[in-house]
Amino acid sequence: MKKVALLSLGAALLVGCATQPVVWEQPNQITVEQATVELKSNLWINKMPTIGEVQESNLHGALYLESDKALPAELDVESISIKQGDESWVIDGDLLELRTHNQNQWEVAFVWQFAIDPEQPVDVALQLTINNQQDWLVEKNVKIDTVY
């Protein structure tokens, strides 16, 4: 009985891996409802001195979705993944703030504390959903700036 359960679990895990999208190989542009959408990422660590507060090394992000046409209202941002070397982190839900600058440009903002090397670039993946279909935009080798 244990062997059957173990084999079933192994088969289920293999199927799950086979259907998992290769996120980090996606482009930084997709076409959504005849609009070309491009990801542009800005990341920085704020080291500005503050009075009375301990300065943390939080990673700030402003990811811009820019389009040649109006972005569809049904477009939803699900999560952000950040990868550096063999490490990766996921930010989702209430930790993301969506700001609409105009019909053609949206900003996804976040602040999060990572054990990240600010001297090394990262890969950024943005998971989008539209009409129950998931898409990914990936920008590679994004430099992390430092603000003083």
Side-chain angles (χ1 to χ4, degrees):
M1 182 62 112
K2 289 182 181 179
K3 288 183 182 181
V4 172
L6 187 58
L7 288 174
S8 297
L9 177 62
L13 290 173
L14 287 176
V15 169
C17 291
T19 59
Q20 180 77 8
V22 182
V23 172
W24 300 107
E25 299 304 317
Q26 301 299 315
N28 76 327
Q29 273 188 354
I30 59 171
T31 302
V32 176
E33 293 186 4
Q34 301 166 347
T36 301
V37 180
E38 183 177 6
L39 173 65
K40 295 183 179 177
S41 304
N42 294 308
L43 303 174
W44 69 94
I45 294 179
N46 185 1
K47 294 205 175 183
M48 291 282 291
T50 56
I51 298 174
E53 293 181 23
V54 176
Q55 188 65 17
E56 297 178 4
S57 58
N58 290 333
L59 180 66
H60 296 255
L63 310 183
Y64 294 96
L65 292 173
E66 296 182 351
S67 176
D68 56 349
K69 297 181 182 168
L71 289 161
E74 304 83 29
L75 187 65
D76 193 22
V77 175
E78 297 293 327
S79 67
I80 296 171
S81 297
I82 296 176
K83 179 180 170 193
Q84 188 178 59
D86 294 334
E87 295 286 326
S88 62
W89 303 270
V90 177
I91 309 166
D92 59 7
D94 292 339
L95 301 173
L96 302 176
E97 182 180 344
L98 183 62
R99 303 171 183 160
T100 304
H101 294 283
N102 59 47
Q103 293 180 4
N104 298 27
Q105 185 184 51
W106 293 359
E107 176 185 359
V108 183
F110 69 88
V111 177
W112 193 252
Q113 190 168 14
F114 294 105
I116 202 162
D117 180 357
E119 301 298 320
Q120 300 298 316
V122 297
D123 295 342
V124 178
L126 185 63
Q127 182 184 13
L128 304 171
T129 301
I130 184 159
N131 299 328
N132 295 322
Q133 178 183 344
Q134 291 186 349
D135 281 307
W136 290 88
L137 290 169
V138 175
E139 190 170 4
K140 295 186 179 262
N141 295 316
V142 177
K143 182 182 177 225
I144 300 172
D145 293 321
T146 303
V147 177
Y148 291 100

